[in-house]
Amino acid sequence: MRNQPLYILTEDLNFFYIIKSELDKYKIYFQILNLDSKIPDIPSIILTTSNDFEKLGNKNRVNFLVYSKNNDFGKYFLHVLAAVRIGYKKYYSTLTFSIDPGKKLGLMVFLDDYYLDSYCCFENSEFFAIIHKYVAIFDEDNATLMKLNFKLGRGVLDITYDLVKQIYIMFQNRKYIRVCLIDEFKSSQFKLSKNTIGKKFTKDEISALILAFRLGIDVRFDNYDDIFKQLRMKKIFIRKNNTEKSKNHDEPLLSLEEIVVNILNGKLSLSNAIEIISVNNG
């Protein structure tokens, strides 16, 4: 369940300070509970420590995210972010990475079809470290390995080819992986004027988001070499997408900016956004 109330409950001042700082940085609203407070009897998320958790009585319908000093805080906070933006789950099923390649790499991360976080990477090594971190954390203790989706802009074929090659090297034994090449036509021209989630996005991140809305060509481990050769020889082309008016409407159902804002605010899933844009295109 998404959009559950978020609480911090702890007597550990150090934990309170670091978790509050991260939540504030992400503009995530929370409330504070004391150990002697009544635990909410509604579906909610409570951030606490292992020591505090042991002192609690009736847990009701609350989902606890428990931090131990032996844990890596960055890993813990990523689970907090997922619980807030996607909803608390024991296991998540799908990670989608949308990538705008170039001298800087824009990266948008979706978890179970909802926006989770984004990055602007200055080095390929930084990009792959982020990918590895997300996959490792959400795969951990998961009975079934997650499905991985990669959507890559193909503006500069040599750069995209190297990324695809490295992705397949990194995940060569992975059963559920999909890699898709996307046309970058006008993806960098969109500028976000409304920003209601607090974070300032680079143009590379926004370009990666625009690419996430588009369809393209799927490539597999056993055929990506051949597909890139055909693309270089212009024997195959990747479908362009745009947001034109619908056949049945004078105006789009939602403007592209409204779709972007709703995605970033968690009000719209990636699948819904793709569907709306498809209808807008008629």
Side-chain angles (χ1 to χ4, degrees):
M1 184 182 296
R2 302 176 63 246
N3 302 317
Q4 293 182 359
L6 180 69
Y7 300 92
I8 299 176
L9 190 159
T10 186
E11 291 183 327
D12 185 326
L13 294 181
N14 184 59
F15 171 73
F16 177 82
Y17 173 76
I18 59 174
I19 192 65
K20 179 183 181 301
S21 297
E22 287 300 301
L23 294 173
D24 287 345
K25 184 170 76 174
Y26 279 84
K27 309 295 184 185
I28 295 173
Y29 174 76
F30 62 89
Q31 299 177 63
I32 300 171
L33 292 174
N34 298 316
L35 280 182
D36 56 358
S37 300
K38 182 180 178 182
I39 302 296
D41 191 24
I42 57 172
S44 53
I45 301 166
I46 292 184
L47 312 181
T48 190
T49 67
S50 53
N51 289 337
D52 294 315
F53 185 74
E54 291 175 3
K55 301 173 186 176
L56 298 173
N58 182 16
K59 307 299 193 298
N60 298 320
R61 292 183 285 167
V62 170
N63 296 309
F64 284 90
L65 286 173
V66 180
Y67 174 71
S68 168
K69 290 182 179 179
N70 298 324
N71 294 345
D72 176 80
F73 181 79
K75 172 182 169 182
Y76 171 80
F77 186 75
L78 196 51
H79 282 291
V80 172
L81 194 61
V84 170
R85 290 188 170 167
I86 287 80
Y88 178 89
K89 298 180 182 180
K90 188 174 182 181
Y91 301 123
Y92 298 90
S93 62
T94 307
L95 272 167
T96 299
F97 302 99
S98 186
I99 302 132
D100 177 38
K103 292 182 179 179
K104 295 181 290 184
L105 286 87
L107 172 62
M108 280 276 165
V109 184
F110 296 86
L111 181 63
D112 285 3
D113 213 26
Y114 282 90
Y115 166 73
L116 180 60
D117 210 346
S118 61
Y119 300 87
C120 182
C121 304
F122 292 86
E123 302 288 343
N124 282 10
S125 57
E126 179 189 3
F127 165 77
F128 282 109
I130 292 170
I131 298 293
H132 181 269
K133 177 184 75 171
Y134 275 86
V135 174
I137 287 175
F138 289 110
D139 255 353
E140 189 177 56
D141 299 325
N142 200 337
T144 341
L145 292 181
M146 301 190 73
K147 295 177 181 178
L148 304 182
N149 298 318
F150 293 87
K151 305 184 81 169
L152 297 98
R154 48 131 298 187
V156 182
L157 280 176
D158 288 343
I159 294 176
T160 305
Y161 175 84
D162 288 340
L163 292 175
V164 171
K165 182 179 179 179
Q166 288 302 312
I167 286 168
Y168 273 120
I169 289 172
M170 181 181 287
F171 300 111
Q172 57 185 306
N173 297 318
R174 195 103 186 170
K175 184 176 180 181
Y176 300 108
I177 180 169
R178 182 186 181 197
V179 178
C180 187
L181 304 181
I182 310 293
D183 193 283
E184 292 188 27
F185 180 70
K186 292 186 176 181
S187 64
S188 62
Q189 293 185 13
F190 177 82
K191 291 181 173 55
L192 179 63
S193 62
K194 299 175 186 176
N195 184 358
T196 57
I197 76 164
K199 175 175 177 175
K200 184 176 180 181
F201 295 92
T202 66
K203 66 180 183 64
D204 305 280
E205 291 169 90
I206 294 299
S207 293
L209 179 56
I210 300 303
L211 295 177
F213 300 152
R214 297 181 175 179
L215 306 176
I217 295 176
D218 285 351
V219 297
R220 304 186 309 272
F221 177 74
D222 60 358
N223 75 356
Y224 75 86
D225 264 319
D226 184 55
I227 286 178
F228 273 95
K229 286 177 185 176
Q230 292 185 59
L231 286 169
R232 289 188 179 99
M233 296 169 65
K234 297 186 178 180
K235 290 186 175 181
I236 56 175
F237 297 91
I238 295 177
R239 172 181 173 181
K240 290 184 174 68
N241 297 66
N242 49 38
T243 47
E244 300 294 338
K245 295 179 182 179
S246 165
K247 292 179 185 176
N248 305 314
H249 300 82
D250 292 332
E251 297 296 334
L253 299 179
L254 285 175
S255 70
L256 183 57
E257 180 154 14
E258 287 173 318
I259 292 171
V260 167
V261 170
N262 285 337
I263 280 276
L264 296 176
N265 281 327
K267 296 177 181 177
L268 197 63
S269 71
L270 180 57
S271 296
N272 289 149
I274 293 170
E275 184 178 354
I276 291 169
I277 288 172
S278 176
V279 171
N280 283 349
N281 289 340

